[in-house]
Amino acid sequence: GQNIDQPTEMTATEGAIVQINCTYQTSGFNGLFWYQQHAGEAPTFLSYNVLDGLEEKGRFSSFLSRSKGYSYLLLKELQMKDSASYLCAVSHNAGGTSYGKLTFGQGTILTVHP
Amino acid sequence: EAGVAQSPRYKIIEKRQSVAFWCNPISGHATLYWYQQILGQGPKLLIQFQNNGVVDDSQLPKDRFSAERLKGVDSTLKIQPAKLEDSAVYLCASSSMTGNTEAFFGQGTRLTVV
């Protein structure tokens, strides 16, 4: 089966930097997504890592190490609107097929304080 | 580009009743997902379609849940009979490829079983 672990909750201060970690154990790994989900809303895409290394997109960056089964999402210059749940999701081949399946972790609730 | 459409937005039913949810994915997206998200948890994949075929339904409680995607476009998810533990948000998502590209989510249907 698939196992995806991320911290349940984190808090940070406006203007600071926060790193949200995600570890995973899976077979047939294709890549790793990060999604943001505000309370009562649908998840929205933030980033997708296929190869090892850092992907930077504005204030958000995501890192992947395939050999270690590890990823992190880095949020810089935190704003109050960044308070949300951050979901790590692994794309892996559905059993017996070449189709990618998307499995989510439980999410990390980030609270940004003034 | 129109997003993923879901209806209804909210539904309250009594246990043992039946309910159906509808999803219209983004035009041209071959992959369609149904997720169940219980409050405070990450989305759990119930079923994944590639066009009108099922890629994965390993976590679908088949004694009470069913889903179809006739003609490879719209999809319906049905619960019959509902249990209290089915109270959750049911999210539909679509992507252009299976699991290796960004999935776009609808607003979800919040189901309350009383």
Side-chain angles (χ1 to χ4, degrees), chain B residues 41-59:
Chain B
Q41 299 182 18
K44 171 187 166 185
L45 181 66
L46 293 176
I47 189 166
Q48 179 175 337
F49 292 95
Q50 176 69 11
N51 296 309
N52 61 348
V54 175
V55 169
D56 187 276
D57 63 357
S58 57
Q59 298 191 95

Side-chain angles (χ1 to χ4, degrees), chain B residues 31-46:
Chain B
T31 307
L32 186 147
Y33 312 82
W34 281 104
Y35 286 90
Q36 178 194 59
Q37 188 172 26
I38 293 172
L39 188 64
Q41 299 182 18
K44 171 187 166 185
L45 181 66
L46 293 176

Side-chain angles (χ1 to χ4, degrees), chain A residues 35-103:
Chain A
Y35 282 81
Q36 179 190 61
Q37 186 177 28
H38 285 101
E41 298 183 10
T44 55
F45 170 80
L46 289 177
S47 68
Y48 179 45
N49 293 69
V50 177
L51 302 176
D52 286 359
L54 189 68
E55 295 278 345
E56 297 186 78
K57 189 185 294 185
R59 294 189 300 114
F60 293 6
S61 303
S62 57
F63 172 84
L64 175 67
S65 169
R66 294 175 68 118
S67 61
K68 295 182 180 179
Y70 169 69
S71 174
Y72 68 73
L73 180 70
L74 193 70
L75 293 76
K76 304 175 186 175
E77 302 169 15
L78 280 172
Q79 301 175 11
M80 298 295 289
K81 68 178 182 179
D82 296 330
S83 292
S85 177
Y86 290 85
L87 299 160
C88 171
V90 170
S91 171
H92 55 101
N93 288 343
T97 78
S98 61
Y99 294 113
K101 176 180 168 181
L102 197 58
T103 299

